[in-house]
Amino acid sequence: MALTASQQLSLYARVLPFDRHLMEQAGDEVVIGIVYQSGFPESRRAKEAILEAVDQTLVEIAQVPTRFIAVDVPTAAALGDALERHQPDVLYVAPLRSIAIGAVREMCERHQVASITGVPDYVDRGVAVGIGERGGKPEILVNKDVADALGMDFAARFLRLVTVR
C-alpha cells in the first residue's frame, strides 16, 4: 500500500461523497466492509491499520456516520456470502493472496457494492477506486469501466481531477 491507513481514510472521506449513487443509497450511515484474509499477514496488518485509524479519527462521509466492519474471506465464495450477510455500501479491499481481484469485481458487481483499495495495482485488475502515490504525492485512481459497472456515479468535474484508467 502506497499510503498509510490514516492518509487513505482521509482521502476516501473526501472522495466517496463524489459518488452520487452512494450518497443517495447510504441513508443514515455508510457501511464500509474491509475484506481481508486472516491467514495472510499483509492482509491482516492492513485491516488492523485501517481499524486503528478509524479508532483514532471520527470518519464521516459527507457528514453521514460511517461504520467499518472487518470481513475475513478465505475464498471468493465466502466473499459472496459476506456481502449478502453484511450488505456494505462500500468494500475496502486489503491485500489478498488466494482470491483473484477479478472475483472480487464479480461479487461487487453482483451485489452493486462500490469497491476501494489502498493497493494501486488492484485498480487495473478490477477495483473501482484506489489510492496510490506519484512523485511523493497522493494519487486517486479510478477504473471508470468498473465504477460504471458497480453503479458508481462520479461527476465529470471529479473525474478530471483524478487519474482515470
Side-chain angles (χ1 to χ4, degrees):
M1 297 191 312
L3 299 177
T4 67
S6 60
Q7 290 171 317
Q8 290 178 52
L9 286 178
S10 176
L11 286 169
Y12 279 126
R14 288 184 248 152
V15 167
L16 289 174
F18 285 101
D19 177 3
R20 294 176 290 225
H21 180 258
L22 172 66
M23 298 320 300
E24 288 172 6
Q25 81 173 22
D28 295 341
E29 72 176 352
V30 175
V31 177
I32 299 179
I34 304 167
V35 63
Y36 77 103
Q37 294 175 302
S38 60
F40 181 33
E42 185 179 355
S43 186
R44 191 176 57 250
R45 282 192 298 271
K47 180 262 308 179
E48 290 167 357
I50 292 290
L51 291 176
E52 183 177 314
V54 167
D55 285 345
Q56 294 174 2
T57 307
L58 174 64
V59 178
E60 290 186 331
I61 308 297
Q63 300 178 341
V64 176
T66 304
R67 179 169 51 99
F68 289 79
I69 55 173
V71 182
D72 186 8
V73 291
T75 65
L79 175 58
D81 294 342
L83 291 176
E84 283 285 330
R85 186 172 49 256
H86 298 293
Q87 299 184 347
D89 300 302
V90 178
L91 192 68
Y92 177 90
V93 183
L96 301 175
R97 181 173 39 201
S98 61
I99 299 176
I101 299 305
V104 173
R105 175 189 175 165
E106 185 179 304
M107 290 296 171
C108 286
E109 271 188 58
R110 185 174 300 149
H111 296 277
Q112 288 295 282
V113 175
S115 61
I116 62 176
T117 188
V119 182
D121 185 46
Y122 285 2
V123 175
D124 291 329
R125 294 167 45 197
V127 174
V129 181
I131 302 287
E133 184 179 47
R134 184 176 12 175
K137 295 183 179 180
E139 178 181 34
I140 299 165
L141 310 166
V142 176
N143 184 321
K144 182 77 166 84
D145 292 337
V146 173
D148 289 346
L150 300 180
M152 298 175 83
D153 182 21
F154 290 115
R157 74 184 212 298
F158 169 74
L159 292 173
R160 286 192 297 270
L161 300 173
V162 302
T163 302
V164 178
R165 297 191 173 176

